[in-house]
């Protein structure tokens, strides 16, 4: 069983920064991937960033490249999303997700944390 809890969302002005955290609890697996997704009102959920837990390989959606950074702290079992140069279009509920099986599909999801960027 894996549980994910996001935190760090809030209200910021355009150009500001936030750091989201995702605390991972449960059994430790030898290899899996963690991802950040977001859903804006009236839109489908979209991929934001991904990291391989064991090796730190990362990739990002084009819309956030150069602005967002995904990272991890092995000792704390926590994944982070550092968001810089925020834009109003980044406003969404952000979700942390885990691919435990290693099949490319995300099996566990957090409850989400709201990020609002004002103009």
């Amino acid at each position: 069983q894996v549980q994910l809890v996001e935190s760090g969302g809030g209200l910021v002005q355009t150009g500001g920064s936030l750091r989201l955290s995702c605390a991972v609890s449960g059994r430790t697996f030898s290899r899996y991937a963690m991802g950040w997704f977001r859903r804006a009102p009236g839109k489908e959920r979209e991929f934001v960033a991904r990291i391989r837990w064991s090796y730190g390989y990362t990739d990002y959606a084009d819309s956030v490249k150069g602005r967002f950074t995904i990272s991890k702290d092995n000792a704390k079992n926590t994944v982070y999303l550092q968001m810089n140069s925020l834009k109003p279009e980044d406003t969404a509920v952000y979700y942390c997700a885990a691919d435990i099986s290693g099949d490319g599909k995300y099996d566990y999801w957090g409850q989400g944390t709201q990020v609002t960027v004002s103009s």
Side-chain angles (χ1 to χ4, degrees), residues 50-105:
R50 178 184 297 112
I51 187 168
R52 176 71 66 181
W53 184 262
S54 297
Y55 302 105
Y57 177 85
T58 61
D59 63 292
Y60 300 89
D62 288 342
S63 60
V64 306
K65 285 182 179 178
R67 300 189 298 120
F68 290 12
T69 303
I70 187 170
S71 62
K72 61 184 177 67
D73 186 325
N74 292 354
K76 296 182 178 180
N77 278 331
T78 300
V79 179
Y80 304 97
L81 185 68
Q82 179 66 46
M83 305 185 295
N84 299 326
S85 301
L86 284 162
K87 307 173 181 179
E89 49 263 48
D90 295 318
T91 295
V93 177
Y94 284 71
Y95 299 91
C96 180
D99 173 12
I100 301 300
S101 301
D103 61 359
K105 298 181 179 180

Coordinates of all heavy atoms in Angstrom, one line a residue, residues 50-105:
R50 N 8.0 14.3 -14.3 CA 8.2 12.9 -13.9 C 9.6 12.7 -13.4 O 10.6 13.3 -14.0 CB 7.9 11.9 -15.1 CG 8.1 10.5 -14.8 CD 7.9 9.7 -16.1 NE 6.5 9.8 -16.6 CZ 6.2 10.4 -17.7 NH1 7.1 11.0 -18.5 NH2 4.9 10.5 -18.1
I51 N 9.8 11.8 -12.5 CA 11.2 11.4 -12.0 C 11.2 10.0 -11.7 O 10.3 9.4 -11.1 CB 11.6 12.3 -10.8 CG1 13.0 12.1 -10.4 CG2 10.7 12.1 -9.6 CD1 13.6 13.1 -9.4
R52 N 12.3 9.3 -12.0 CA 12.6 7.9 -11.6 C 13.2 8.0 -10.2 O 14.2 8.6 -10.0 CB 13.5 7.3 -12.6 CG 13.9 5.9 -12.3 CD 12.8 4.9 -12.4 NE 12.4 4.7 -13.8 CZ 11.4 4.0 -14.3 NH1 10.7 3.2 -13.4 NH2 11.2 3.9 -15.5
W53 N 12.5 7.3 -9.3 CA 13.0 7.4 -7.9 C 14.4 6.9 -7.7 O 15.2 7.6 -7.0 CB 12.0 6.6 -7.0 CG 12.4 6.7 -5.6 CD1 13.1 5.8 -4.8 CD2 12.0 7.8 -4.7 NE1 13.2 6.3 -3.5 CE2 12.5 7.5 -3.4 CE3 11.3 8.9 -4.9 CZ2 12.4 8.3 -2.4 CZ3 11.1 9.8 -3.8 CH2 11.6 9.5 -2.6
S54 N 14.8 5.8 -8.3 CA 16.1 5.2 -8.0 C 17.2 6.0 -8.6 O 18.3 6.1 -8.0 CB 16.1 3.8 -8.6 OG 15.2 3.0 -7.9
Y55 N 17.0 6.6 -9.8 CA 18.1 7.2 -10.5 C 18.0 8.7 -10.8 O 18.9 9.3 -11.2 CB 18.4 6.5 -11.9 CG 18.6 5.0 -11.7 CD1 17.6 4.0 -11.9 CD2 19.8 4.5 -11.2 CE1 17.9 2.7 -11.7 CE2 20.1 3.2 -11.0 CZ 19.1 2.3 -11.2 OH 19.3 0.9 -11.0
G56 N 16.8 9.2 -10.6 CA 16.6 10.7 -10.8 C 16.4 11.2 -12.2 O 16.4 12.4 -12.4
Y57 N 16.2 10.3 -13.1 CA 15.9 10.7 -14.5 C 14.6 11.5 -14.5 O 13.6 11.1 -13.9 CB 15.8 9.5 -15.4 CG 15.4 9.8 -16.8 CD1 16.4 10.2 -17.8 CD2 14.1 9.8 -17.2 CE1 16.0 10.5 -19.1 CE2 13.7 10.1 -18.5 CZ 14.7 10.5 -19.4 OH 14.4 10.8 -20.7
T58 N 14.6 12.6 -15.2 CA 13.4 13.5 -15.2 C 13.0 13.9 -16.6 O 13.8 13.8 -17.6 CB 13.7 14.8 -14.5 OG1 14.8 15.5 -15.1 CG2 14.1 14.5 -13.0
D59 N 11.7 14.2 -16.8 CA 11.3 14.8 -18.0 C 10.1 15.7 -17.6 O 9.5 15.6 -16.6 CB 10.9 13.8 -19.1 CG 9.8 12.9 -18.7 OD1 10.0 12.1 -17.7 OD2 8.7 13.0 -19.3
Y60 N 9.8 16.7 -18.5 CA 8.8 17.7 -18.3 C 7.9 18.0 -19.4 O 8.3 17.7 -20.6 CB 9.5 19.0 -17.9 CG 10.4 18.9 -16.7 CD1 11.7 18.6 -16.9 CD2 10.0 19.3 -15.5 CE1 12.6 18.5 -15.8 CE2 10.8 19.2 -14.4 CZ 12.1 18.8 -14.5 OH 12.9 18.8 -13.4
A61 N 6.7 18.5 -19.1 CA 5.9 19.0 -20.2 C 6.5 20.2 -20.8 O 7.2 21.0 -20.1 CB 4.5 19.3 -19.6
D62 N 6.3 20.4 -22.1 CA 6.8 21.6 -22.7 C 6.4 22.9 -22.1 O 7.2 23.9 -22.1 CB 6.4 21.6 -24.2 CG 7.1 20.6 -25.0 OD1 8.2 20.0 -24.6 OD2 6.7 20.3 -26.2
S63 N 5.2 22.9 -21.6 CA 4.7 24.2 -21.0 C 5.4 24.6 -19.7 O 5.3 25.8 -19.3 CB 3.2 24.0 -20.7 OG 3.0 22.9 -19.8
V64 N 6.2 23.7 -19.1 CA 6.8 24.1 -17.8 C 8.3 23.9 -17.9 O 9.0 24.3 -16.9 CB 6.3 23.2 -16.7 CG1 4.8 23.3 -16.6 CG2 6.7 21.7 -16.8
K65 N 8.9 23.5 -19.0 CA 10.3 23.4 -19.1 C 11.0 24.7 -18.9 O 10.6 25.7 -19.4 CB 10.7 22.8 -20.5 CG 10.4 21.3 -20.7 CD 10.8 20.9 -22.1 CE 10.6 19.4 -22.3 NZ 11.0 18.9 -23.6
G66 N 12.1 24.7 -18.1 CA 12.8 25.9 -17.8 C 12.3 26.6 -16.6 O 12.9 27.5 -16.1
R67 N 11.1 26.3 -16.2 CA 10.5 27.0 -15.0 C 10.2 26.1 -13.8 O 10.4 26.5 -12.7 CB 9.1 27.6 -15.5 CG 9.2 28.6 -16.6 CD 7.9 29.3 -16.8 NE 6.8 28.4 -17.2 CZ 5.7 28.2 -16.5 NH1 5.5 28.8 -15.4 NH2 4.8 27.3 -17.0
F68 N 9.9 24.8 -14.1 CA 9.6 23.8 -13.0 C 10.8 22.8 -12.9 O 11.4 22.5 -13.9 CB 8.3 23.1 -13.3 CG 7.1 23.9 -13.2 CD1 7.1 25.3 -13.1 CD2 5.8 23.2 -13.2 CE1 5.9 26.0 -13.0 CE2 4.7 23.9 -13.1 CZ 4.7 25.3 -13.0
T69 N 11.0 22.4 -11.7 CA 12.0 21.4 -11.4 C 11.5 20.3 -10.5 O 11.0 20.7 -9.4 CB 13.3 22.0 -10.8 OG1 13.8 23.0 -11.7 CG2 14.4 20.9 -10.7
I70 N 11.5 19.1 -10.9 CA 11.1 18.0 -10.0 C 12.4 17.4 -9.4 O 13.4 17.2 -10.1 CB 10.3 16.9 -10.8 CG1 9.7 15.8 -9.8 CG2 11.1 16.2 -11.9 CD1 8.7 14.9 -10.5
S71 N 12.3 17.1 -8.1 CA 13.4 16.5 -7.4 C 12.9 15.6 -6.3 O 11.7 15.5 -6.1 CB 14.3 17.6 -6.8 OG 13.6 18.4 -5.9
K72 N 13.8 14.9 -5.6 CA 13.5 14.0 -4.6 C 14.5 14.0 -3.4 O 15.6 14.4 -3.6 CB 13.3 12.6 -5.1 CG 14.6 12.0 -5.7 CD 14.4 10.6 -6.3 CE 15.6 10.1 -7.0 NZ 16.7 9.8 -6.0
D73 N 14.0 13.6 -2.3 CA 14.9 13.4 -1.1 C 14.6 12.0 -0.6 O 13.6 11.7 0.0 CB 14.5 14.4 0.0 CG 15.4 14.4 1.2 OD1 15.9 13.3 1.5 OD2 15.7 15.4 1.8
N74 N 15.6 11.1 -0.9 CA 15.5 9.7 -0.6 C 15.3 9.5 0.9 O 14.5 8.6 1.3 CB 16.7 8.9 -1.0 CG 16.8 8.9 -2.6 OD1 15.9 9.3 -3.3 ND2 17.9 8.3 -3.0
A75 N 16.0 10.2 1.7 CA 15.9 10.0 3.2 C 14.6 10.3 3.7 O 14.1 9.7 4.7 CB 17.0 10.8 3.9
K76 N 13.9 11.3 3.1 CA 12.6 11.8 3.6 C 11.5 11.2 2.8 O 10.3 11.4 3.2 CB 12.5 13.3 3.5 CG 13.5 14.0 4.4 CD 13.3 15.5 4.3 CE 14.2 16.2 5.3 NZ 14.1 17.7 5.2
N77 N 11.8 10.4 1.8 CA 10.7 9.8 1.0 C 9.8 10.9 0.5 O 8.5 10.7 0.6 CB 9.9 8.7 1.7 CG 10.7 7.4 1.7 OD1 11.4 7.1 0.8 ND2 10.4 6.6 2.7
T78 N 10.3 11.9 -0.1 CA 9.5 13.1 -0.5 C 10.0 13.5 -1.9 O 11.2 13.5 -2.2 CB 9.7 14.2 0.5 OG1 9.3 13.8 1.8 CG2 8.9 15.4 0.0
V79 N 9.0 13.8 -2.7 CA 9.2 14.4 -4.0 C 8.8 15.8 -4.0 O 7.7 16.2 -3.4 CB 8.4 13.5 -5.1 CG1 8.6 14.1 -6.5 CG2 8.9 12.1 -5.1
Y80 N 9.5 16.7 -4.7 CA 9.2 18.1 -4.8 C 9.0 18.6 -6.2 O 9.5 18.0 -7.2 CB 10.4 18.9 -4.2 CG 10.8 18.5 -2.8 CD1 11.8 17.6 -2.6 CD2 10.1 19.0 -1.7 CE1 12.2 17.2 -1.3 CE2 10.5 18.6 -0.4 CZ 11.5 17.8 -0.2 OH 11.9 17.4 1.0
L81 N 8.2 19.6 -6.3 CA 8.1 20.3 -7.6 C 8.3 21.8 -7.3 O 7.5 22.5 -6.7 CB 6.7 20.1 -8.2 CG 6.5 20.7 -9.5 CD1 7.3 20.0 -10.6 CD2 5.0 20.7 -10.0
Q82 N 9.5 22.3 -7.7 CA 9.8 23.7 -7.6 C 9.3 24.4 -8.8 O 9.6 24.1 -9.9 CB 11.3 23.9 -7.5 CG 11.7 25.4 -7.4 CD 11.3 26.0 -6.1 OE1 11.5 25.4 -5.0 NE2 10.8 27.2 -6.2
M83 N 8.4 25.4 -8.5 CA 7.7 26.1 -9.6 C 8.2 27.6 -9.6 O 7.9 28.3 -8.6 CB 6.2 26.0 -9.5 CG 5.7 24.6 -9.4 SD 3.9 24.4 -9.4 CE 3.6 25.2 -7.8
N84 N 8.9 28.0 -10.6 CA 9.3 29.4 -10.7 C 8.6 30.1 -11.9 O 8.1 29.4 -12.8 CB 10.8 29.5 -10.9 CG 11.6 28.9 -9.7 OD1 11.1 28.9 -8.5 ND2 12.7 28.2 -10.0
S85 N 8.7 31.4 -11.9 CA 8.2 32.2 -13.0 C 6.7 31.8 -13.3 O 6.3 31.6 -14.4 CB 9.0 32.1 -14.2 OG 10.4 32.5 -14.0
L86 N 5.9 31.7 -12.3 CA 4.6 31.2 -12.4 C 3.7 32.2 -13.2 O 3.9 33.4 -13.2 CB 3.9 31.0 -11.0 CG 4.4 29.7 -10.3 CD1 4.1 29.8 -8.9 CD2 3.8 28.5 -11.0
K87 N 2.8 31.6 -14.0 CA 1.9 32.3 -14.9 C 0.5 32.0 -14.5 O 0.2 30.9 -13.9 CB 2.1 31.9 -16.3 CG 3.6 32.0 -16.8 CD 3.7 31.4 -18.2 CE 5.1 31.5 -18.7 NZ 5.3 30.9 -20.1
P88 N -0.5 32.8 -14.8 CA -1.9 32.5 -14.5 C -2.3 31.2 -15.1 O -3.2 30.5 -14.5 CB -2.6 33.7 -15.2 CG -1.7 34.8 -15.1 CD -0.3 34.2 -15.4
E89 N -1.8 30.8 -16.2 CA -2.2 29.5 -16.8 C -1.7 28.3 -16.1 O -2.1 27.2 -16.4 CB -1.8 29.4 -18.3 CG -0.3 29.8 -18.5 CD -0.1 31.2 -19.0 OE1 -0.7 32.1 -18.3 OE2 0.6 31.5 -20.0
D90 N -0.8 28.5 -15.1 CA -0.4 27.4 -14.2 C -1.4 27.2 -13.1 O -1.3 26.2 -12.4 CB 1.0 27.8 -13.6 CG 2.1 27.9 -14.6 OD1 2.1 27.0 -15.5 OD2 2.9 28.8 -14.4
T91 N -2.4 28.0 -13.0 CA -3.4 27.8 -12.0 C -4.2 26.5 -12.2 O -4.7 26.2 -13.2 CB -4.5 28.9 -12.0 OG1 -3.8 30.2 -11.6 CG2 -5.6 28.7 -11.0
A92 N -4.1 25.6 -11.2 CA -4.7 24.3 -11.3 C -4.6 23.6 -9.9 O -3.9 24.1 -9.0 CB -4.0 23.5 -12.3
V93 N -5.3 22.5 -9.8 CA -5.0 21.5 -8.7 C -3.9 20.6 -9.2 O -4.0 20.0 -10.2 CB -6.3 20.7 -8.3 CG1 -5.9 19.7 -7.2 CG2 -7.4 21.7 -7.9
Y94 N -2.9 20.5 -8.3 CA -1.7 19.7 -8.7 C -1.7 18.4 -7.9 O -2.0 18.4 -6.7 CB -0.4 20.5 -8.4 CG -0.1 21.5 -9.4 CD1 -0.9 22.7 -9.5 CD2 1.0 21.4 -10.3 CE1 -0.6 23.6 -10.5 CE2 1.2 22.3 -11.3 CZ 0.5 23.5 -11.3 OH 0.7 24.4 -12.3
Y95 N -1.5 17.3 -8.6 CA -1.5 16.0 -8.0 C -0.2 15.3 -8.1 O 0.4 15.3 -9.2 CB -2.6 15.1 -8.7 CG -4.0 15.7 -8.6 CD1 -4.5 16.5 -9.6 CD2 -4.8 15.3 -7.6 CE1 -5.8 17.0 -9.5 CE2 -6.1 15.8 -7.5 CZ -6.6 16.6 -8.5 OH -7.9 17.1 -8.4
C96 N 0.2 14.6 -7.1 CA 1.3 13.7 -7.1 C 0.8 12.3 -7.4 O -0.2 11.9 -6.9 CB 2.0 13.8 -5.7 SG 3.5 12.7 -5.6
A97 N 1.6 11.5 -8.1 CA 1.2 10.2 -8.5 C 2.4 9.3 -8.5 O 3.5 9.7 -8.7 CB 0.5 10.2 -9.9
A98 N 2.1 8.0 -8.3 CA 3.2 7.0 -8.2 C 2.9 5.8 -9.2 O 1.8 5.3 -9.2 CB 3.4 6.4 -6.8
D99 N 4.0 5.5 -10.0 CA 3.9 4.3 -10.8 C 4.7 3.2 -10.1 O 6.0 3.2 -10.2 CB 4.5 4.6 -12.2 CG 4.7 3.4 -13.1 OD1 4.1 2.3 -12.7 OD2 5.3 3.5 -14.1
I100 N 4.1 2.4 -9.3 CA 4.7 1.4 -8.5 C 5.1 0.1 -9.3 O 6.1 -0.5 -9.1 CB 3.9 1.0 -7.3 CG1 3.6 2.2 -6.5 CG2 4.5 -0.1 -6.5 CD1 4.8 2.9 -5.9
S101 N 4.2 -0.2 -10.2 CA 4.4 -1.5 -11.0 C 5.5 -1.3 -12.1 O 6.0 -2.3 -12.6 CB 3.1 -1.9 -11.7 OG 2.1 -2.1 -10.7
G102 N 5.9 -0.1 -12.4 CA 6.8 0.1 -13.5 C 6.3 -0.2 -14.9 O 7.1 -0.4 -15.8
D103 N 5.0 -0.1 -15.0 CA 4.4 -0.3 -16.3 C 4.0 0.9 -17.1 O 3.4 0.9 -18.1 CB 3.1 -1.2 -16.2 CG 2.1 -0.6 -15.3 OD1 2.3 0.6 -14.8 OD2 1.0 -1.2 -15.1
G104 N 4.4 2.1 -16.5 CA 4.2 3.3 -17.2 C 2.8 3.9 -16.8 O 2.5 5.0 -17.3
K105 N 2.1 3.3 -16.0 CA 0.8 3.8 -15.6 C 0.8 4.1 -14.1 O 1.5 3.4 -13.3 CB -0.3 2.7 -15.8 CG -0.5 2.4 -17.3 CD -1.6 1.4 -17.5 CE -1.8 1.1 -19.0 NZ -2.9 0.1 -19.2

